[in-house]
Amino acid sequence: MQFLVFLCAVIRAVDVHADMLRASIANAGNDHRLGANEAPPAIISIFLGDMLTDIVEQLVKGTPTKTIKGGKLDLGARTLPQIPRHSGDRNRTSPFAFTGNKFEFRAVGSSGSIAWPSAVLNTIVAESLDLIATEIEASAGANPTASKLAQSVKSVLKRIIKEHRRVCFDGDGYDDAWPLEAQKRGLPNLLGTIDALPILRTKKVVDLFRKYHVLSKTELDSRFHIYIEQYATRVGIEARTTITLAHTHILPAAIRFQTELAESVAATQAADVQCSEIRDELDEFAELLSRFRVALGEFERCIHEATYNDPQQHAQALSESVMPAMADVRELGDELERRVADDLWPLPTYREMLFVK
C-alpha cells in the first residue's frame, strides 16, 4: 500500500509539473543532447515497464493482487545458460523511467548539477504526497479500521491514476508519432531552453515553492535571470567559435582545395585532354563554397542584430535567429568536410574522432 501511494504520488507530480521538470534541466548544451544518441526527448513522460503498468491497470480496475514474474532471458543460443530476466525494463528513450527498484530522471545533462533538478523533484513529489495524504485522511476519517483505510487509499489512488496516467508512456520516445500522441494527451513539448525557462515565473510554480518554503518569488526570479544569462553566454561563445573556425580553418582549406581543382582543370586542358568531369566537380564545389560564404555572412549579420540590453530579449534573439543560422553554417561546413581532400582539412573529421584517432 505504501509503495502504491508513493508510485501514484510520483506519477501525479511528473504529470502536473512536467513543464517545471523540463525547465529544471534546460540549458544550451542539453538542447543539443535531448532526443539524440540515447538521450531522452524533451517531452517529459514516465516509463513504468510491464510489471508496474500491469499493477496500475489492476489498480484502476480494482485491487492489485499479483505481479508479473521476471522469467528468463533468451539469448538465442542453447549452449549458454539461461539468465534471469528482471521484470522491469530499461527504456533509453524515456526521460523518467522505473528501472526495477527506483525511478531515474535521465534528462539531466552529464555536465549539469543535480542540485536544482533534485530540489524541483523533491518539491513536486512532496506536494503530491501532501495532497494524497490529505485526501486519504478526509476519506478514512479519524481512527479508521485497517479495512476502511485500505478502501480509502484504493479509492484515492484510483482517481489519481485515472487523471494522470496520460504521462505514462512505454513506447519509443524517438518515434515521429510520439510528439503527436503527446499533443493529444495534453503533455507539454518544450523543445528549447527559451521555451522552458519562463515556466519558473508562472504563478503555479511561484505558489508551489512558496507554499513549501523552498524558494521565494525573488529567489525564483534570480534563478531565471541567471539561467537566461548562462544560456546567452554559452550560445554566444558557440557562435563566436563557429565564426573563428569558419574563417581560419574551413574557408582557407576549402579555397586551397578549389585552387587545386582549378589548377588540375587548367593543366588537363593545356594538355589537350578532355576533363568535363573534373570541371563539373570544380563547378559544384565552387557553388557549395559560395553557399557557405553566404550562410556565414547571414550568420554574422544575425549575431550583430541579436544584441539587446535585456537578457531575456537577447537570449530570445539568439534562440530564434542565431541558432538556426549557425545550424545552416554547420550543415554546409559538414558538406565541405566530406568534399575537401583529407590532407588539406585542418580539423579532426567525424570519422577520425569516432573510429581512427
Side-chain angles (χ1 to χ4, degrees):
M1 189 183 297
Q2 289 176 345
F3 174 79
L4 289 176
V5 168
F6 276 85
L7 173 65
C8 293
V10 171
I11 291 174
R12 178 193 176 275
V14 174
D15 181 36
V16 173
H17 300 291
D19 52 358
M20 199 194 322
L21 276 178
R22 172 66 180 92
S24 74
I25 49 93
N27 60 64
N30 222 10
D31 285 353
H32 292 298
R33 167 182 171 265
L34 293 177
N37 301 322
E38 289 198 358
I43 303 171
I44 302 297
S45 64
I46 295 178
F47 170 80
L48 293 179
D50 293 339
M51 182 183 71
L52 281 193
T53 298
D54 180 63
I55 290 176
V56 166
E57 293 291 341
Q58 293 180 61
L59 180 61
V60 171
K61 295 176 182 178
T63 302
T65 58
K66 60 184 176 64
T67 59
I68 295 176
K69 300 298 182 182
K72 299 294 183 180
L73 186 63
D74 186 3
L75 299 176
R78 300 283 70 85
T79 58
L80 294 177
Q82 286 192 316
I83 301 173
R85 179 174 60 84
H86 199 280
S87 55
D89 202 348
R90 299 184 69 84
N91 186 331
R92 288 295 181 184
T93 69
S94 175
F96 205 99
F98 188 79
T99 59
N101 62 352
K102 64 187 180 303
F103 277 108
E104 295 180 2
F105 186 25
R106 296 179 176 148
V108 184
S110 62
S111 62
S113 168
I114 65 170
W116 176 232
S118 296
V120 170
L121 189 56
N122 285 333
T123 304
I124 64 177
V125 172
E127 182 215 24
S128 284
L129 288 170
D130 185 4
L131 179 140
I132 291 174
T134 301
E135 291 191 7
I136 291 174
E137 290 167 356
S139 175
N143 301 317
T145 63
S147 60
K148 175 65 174 175
L149 179 60
Q151 182 61 36
S152 298
V153 170
K154 185 176 74 171
S155 176
V156 171
L157 297 189
K158 188 174 182 177
R159 180 190 63 78
I160 293 289
I161 285 297
K162 283 185 176 180
E163 289 183 8
H164 301 289
R165 65 192 301 185
R166 65 175 186 169
V167 78
C168 298
F169 176 67
D170 286 1
D172 182 0
Y174 291 168
D175 195 305
D176 292 338
W178 171 228
L180 299 176
E181 173 63 24
Q183 185 178 17
K184 291 179 183 178
R185 298 186 185 193
L187 301 179
N189 186 6
L190 305 172
L191 295 176
T193 294
I194 297 303
D195 303 313
L197 286 181
I199 300 299
L200 301 180
R201 311 184 84 181
T202 59
K203 186 177 185 302
K204 180 183 78 169
V205 173
V206 171
D207 289 347
L208 173 67
F209 279 93
R210 181 188 289 134
K211 177 180 179 181
Y212 293 97
H213 307 286
V214 179
L215 293 173
S216 67
K217 183 179 185 302
T218 301
E219 289 170 325
L220 275 172
D221 281 341
S222 70
R223 280 159 176 76
F224 170 78
H225 288 298
I226 289 169
Y227 296 146
I228 281 288
E229 186 174 329
Q230 287 177 341
Y231 175 85
T233 300
R234 196 164 187 173
V235 173
I237 291 172
E238 287 183 9
R240 291 191 296 274
T241 302
T242 301
I243 295 286
T244 299
L245 288 174
H247 280 295
T248 62
H249 289 73
I250 298 176
L251 272 177
I255 290 172
R256 289 192 188 105
F257 183 64
Q258 181 174 287
T259 301
E260 287 193 2
L261 283 175
E263 289 174 349
S264 176
V265 170
T268 305
Q269 289 177 339
D272 198 24
V273 176
Q274 195 275 337
C275 61
S276 59
E277 292 181 356
I278 303 177
R279 181 67 197 217
D280 290 342
E281 183 177 350
L282 174 61
D283 291 340
E284 290 175 7
F285 188 83
E287 191 269 336
L288 174 61
L289 182 56
S290 176
R291 286 163 52 207
F292 181 78
R293 287 179 179 276
V294 171
L296 185 59
E298 177 65 16
F299 179 40
E300 292 177 298
R301 183 190 66 78
C302 289
I303 295 175
H304 178 73
E305 293 181 353
T307 304
Y308 296 90
N309 292 327
D310 179 74
Q312 188 171 357
Q313 280 186 302
H314 181 48
Q316 191 79 36
L318 289 173
S319 174
E320 293 178 354
S321 62
V322 172
M323 290 295 288
M326 183 158 49
D328 291 340
V329 171
R330 182 256 172 89
E331 182 178 354
L332 293 169
D334 288 348
E335 182 61 30
L336 286 172
E337 177 185 310
R338 287 189 286 267
R339 301 286 293 275
V340 173
D342 187 69
D343 63 313
L344 296 178
W345 190 257
L347 301 171
T349 64
Y350 288 117
R351 181 182 63 83
E352 290 171 341
M353 289 188 288
L354 291 173
F355 305 114
V356 179
K357 295 183 180 179

